[in-house]
Amino acid sequence: MIEAWPAADVRAAEEPLLAAGVPLMERAAFALAAVVRRDLARRRAVPGPDGGLVEGSVRGARVALLVGAGNNGGDALHAGAFLARRGLAVTAYLADERVHDGGLAALRGAGGRVVVVDAGAGAAPSAVATEVAGGAGGAGGASAAGAGGTAGAGADVVLDGLVGIGARGPLRGTGAAVVAALLEALPEPGDPARPWVVAVDVPSGVGVDDGTVPGPVLPADRTVTFGAAKPGLLLPPATHLTGAGAVIDLGLELAGTGAQAAASARRPAVVRLEDTDVARAWPVPGPADHKYTRGVVGVVAGTATYPGAAVLASSAAVRAGAGMVRYQGPDAVGQAVVAARPEVVTAGGRVQAWVLGPGFPAEGDDDGQRDRARAALAAASGLLPGAGAPVPAVVDAGALALLDHRCPGWVVLTPHAGELAALLRSRGDDVDRAAVEAHPLRWARRAHELTGATVLLKGGATVVVGPGPTAYAQADAPGWLATAGAGDVLAGLLGTMLAARSAEVVAHPERAAEIAAAAALVHGRAAERANPGGPVAALDVAGALPGTVAALLALR
Ligand SMILES: NC(=O)C1=CN([C@@H]2O[C@H](COP(=O)(O)OP(=O)(O)OC[C@H]3O[C@@H](n4cnc5c(N)ncnc54)[C@H](OP(=O)(O)O)[C@@H]3O)[C@@H](O)[C@H]2O)[C@H](O)CC1
Ligand SMILES: [K+]
């Protein structure tokens, strides 16, 4: 798993090392330069003796450093000095008159070129962008002392060292002007003429601790972050601007050491599960298991008007490995479900988890589904006398409007941004879909505070907030998964995963968030498996679940 720690925790962990004179910046910069060199060598791959490709030479490659006023800029300058000593042509564009002295001296000492950027005596941001992008008449004419620029040949790589964990608010000043000009001047992403963009620590201008994108940000192809990942690298929308990641270990003790770690209240703010985490936690049946120990999933979904959601949610629950699936709903829908999945039963009875809401409306004609879902939710929440032990529940789509009481953390809501906005508005918050999409973590946390439930907020990346201290942020879904019925499949999949650990989740409600995050990962992997790199139909995603789970278990 990838653990992300707030900027303040990273700074606190750096302090003792800095006080002890540990050269953290040089360590960070050296590692950054190594990643840049490797990425460049791979982008310059050439045919090898055996017909394959081998890494190409990076000598002479053109490197543009975007340098801000703080230590983030210092990292970029020191990395530029390492690269210049390896024969790369490095130009630092200083976006602030305050610049890291040691880094600037190191770059100059290594023969790097320095261009002061400002709208006055220095190079204009537009001229810098033109030079970096490879247009004619760049900032070469305004270059400070040092090797002359190569007018016309743009940069091969750009290091974004404008601002790091010291950022406050949207990118401003000359740095913002340079980024805005680059967003205009650079070739489109995917164009081979576009330079490789490497964000130093974080893409400059993202919300380091909340993943917001309050202003202009230069999208990165790679983010090299130091000490630990930051929440903003995992959280949407900023996570879509980070490119591939690389975490450089600086020897920071974030959770403390030994007894301190055990006692420390410090936990990562955000976690991203990886395949091996999900594989290790997946419940694999043993010889003593039977369908009831594996978990029975109750599905209240679909209506005569929208039977498909019932088929999709039930199919996903079956294919994900439920011990048994009980479909509850109109006979006609039950017949459609059984026709599609003969393993499903329509008789009532005990379940270990409920899936409520796919495919039925929050109001209007629902064939009695809202009443069925309301009763199931009450039973799941332990509010229905005689209904047996409480069990986890997935509350999706039309069932979200049924939340008229505070829920325990083992109830998991699975709204998209519009549904979450509607839920929050129904509780008096003035928020719309766009606001939720701009700040998913904030609003998912707000929904958890208001309802008590665990909240899985669906979107290009998935955010999960529950009763525990750690949020989850998964970005495993291909864009193709934005298709009708995908949410129904996720609900059924999640129901099966909760049913398999029903008693455990009720006893430890904070674990529902991790299971929900794992479901988001499996959902994304199944979509990829259903049709790698191309469009997928929701039912095919459900169909790919068995193979997806088997592939994950093979990693154990
Ligand atoms: N601690 C270490 O030795 C190490 C740090 N690492 C690197 O350092 C940065 C953090 O450096 P820091 O100097 O604390 O802060 P930044 O460089 O991130 O930014 C501070 C300067 O940026 C200006 N600023 C702040 N917000 C904005 C904004 N929205 N737009 C433009 N400029 C902004 C701020 O300006 P002021 O006017 O407020 O002063 C500062 O000048 C960390 O990210 C690492 O890269 C090493 O990794 C490890 C060693
Ligand atoms: K940066």
Side-chain angles (χ1 to χ4, degrees):
M1 69 177 59
I2 301 172
E3 295 187 344
W5 293 80
D9 286 20
V10 173
R11 283 190 191 284
E14 282 176 348
E15 281 314 312
L17 294 178
L18 291 169
V22 176
L24 289 182
M25 185 169 284
E26 289 69 16
R27 274 187 190 173
F30 185 79
L32 170 60
V35 172
V36 170
R37 265 204 346 268
R38 189 196 59 209
D39 284 353
L40 267 180
R42 287 176 180 169
R43 284 169 61 82
R44 297 179 148 207
V46 292
D50 59 357
L53 288 176
V54 295
E55 293 187 353
S57 164
V58 298
R59 291 191 69 78
R62 292 173 298 280
V63 181
L65 310 177
L66 305 182
V67 179
N71 289 329
N72 193 245
D75 281 348
L77 289 164
H78 277 294
F82 285 121
L83 294 169
R85 295 195 189 287
R86 300 293 294 262
L88 286 82
V90 181
T91 298
Y93 299 92
L94 309 186
D96 196 293
E97 69 278 358
R98 303 161 297 170
V99 72
H100 192 274
D101 295 337
L104 187 57
L107 179 71
R108 285 199 161 118
R113 171 176 169 246
V114 176
V115 173
V116 174
V117 187
D118 64 31
S126 55
V128 169
T130 302
E131 180 171 283
V132 170
S143 66
T150 316
D156 296 296
V157 63
V158 176
L159 270 63
D160 169 11
L162 292 170
V163 62
I165 60 173
R168 284 179 316 289
L171 197 58
R172 53 181 145 82
T174 304
V178 169
V179 165
L182 282 171
L183 290 173
E184 283 292 312
L186 287 179
E188 285 304 306
D191 182 326
R194 184 183 174 97
W196 183 253
V197 176
V198 178
V200 179
D201 210 13
V202 295
S204 299
V206 303
V208 176
D209 285 344
D210 62 17
T212 54
V213 180
V217 174
L218 183 60
D221 299 295
R222 159 99 53 204
T223 294
V224 180
T225 196
F226 309 116
K230 283 58 176 195
L233 302 183
L234 304 185
L235 290 165
T239 192
H240 300 304
L241 301 174
T242 61
V247 180
I248 305 301
D249 183 359
L250 293 178
L252 307 186
E253 292 295 349
L254 283 151
T257 52
Q260 186 194 21
S264 110
R266 289 209 303 261
R267 297 292 308 135
V270 179
V271 161
R272 176 170 290 171
L273 298 179
E274 297 177 290
D275 289 9
T276 48
D277 304 307
V278 176
R280 272 197 300 273
W282 197 273
V284 175
D289 277 303
H290 48 76
K291 59 178 175 287
Y292 297 108
T293 57
R294 293 192 61 201
V296 177
V297 180
V299 175
V300 180
T303 62
T305 315
Y306 297 102
V311 173
L312 289 166
S314 303
S315 298
V318 169
R319 305 299 306 262
M324 184 167 71
V325 174
R326 295 185 188 283
Y327 172 72
Q328 309 287 283
D331 290 345
V333 179
Q335 286 157 23
V337 170
V338 172
R341 293 287 4 151
E343 305 89 348
V344 176
V345 300
T346 53
R350 281 187 54 66
V351 301
Q352 277 71 49
W354 283 104
V355 175
L356 311 172
F360 65 74
E363 53 195 28
D365 181 18
D366 70 340
D367 298 335
Q369 287 292 61
R370 283 193 295 276
D371 289 343
R372 288 187 189 94
R374 204 173 272 116
L377 183 57
S381 305
L383 301 175
L384 205 59
V391 295
V394 179
V395 178
D396 185 44
L400 289 166
L402 306 180
L403 295 170
D404 51 11
H405 57 272
R406 271 187 73 77
C407 299
W410 60 76
V411 170
V412 183
L413 315 186
T414 57
H416 55 58
E419 290 166 333
L420 185 62
L423 185 148
L424 292 167
R425 280 198 302 274
S426 73
R427 281 165 170 72
D429 281 7
D430 177 18
V431 61
D432 60 10
R433 169 194 282 270
V436 171
E437 288 171 340
H439 208 321
L441 177 65
R442 173 187 173 191
W443 293 111
R445 277 194 172 136
R446 176 66 176 156
H448 166 65
E449 285 160 15
L450 287 173
T451 64
T454 293
V455 179
L456 180 152
L457 174 55
K458 294 182 287 195
T462 299
V463 174
V464 187
V465 172
T470 298
Y472 291 82
Q474 299 298 133
D476 314 289
W480 302 107
L481 199 47
T483 183
D488 306 332
V489 171
L490 176 64
L493 163 63
L494 178 51
T496 289
M497 295 173 71
L498 289 168
R501 295 168 62 182
S502 185
E504 174 197 344
V505 172
V506 170
H508 304 281
E510 71 282 0
R511 295 184 188 172
E514 180 172 351
I515 293 173
L521 182 147
V522 174
H523 193 226
R525 295 284 181 272
E528 196 58 43
R529 187 181 184 88
N531 182 25
V536 285
L539 193 59
D540 296 342
V541 175
L545 287 171
T548 301
V549 173
L552 287 170
L553 293 177
L555 300 173
R556 298 209 301 184

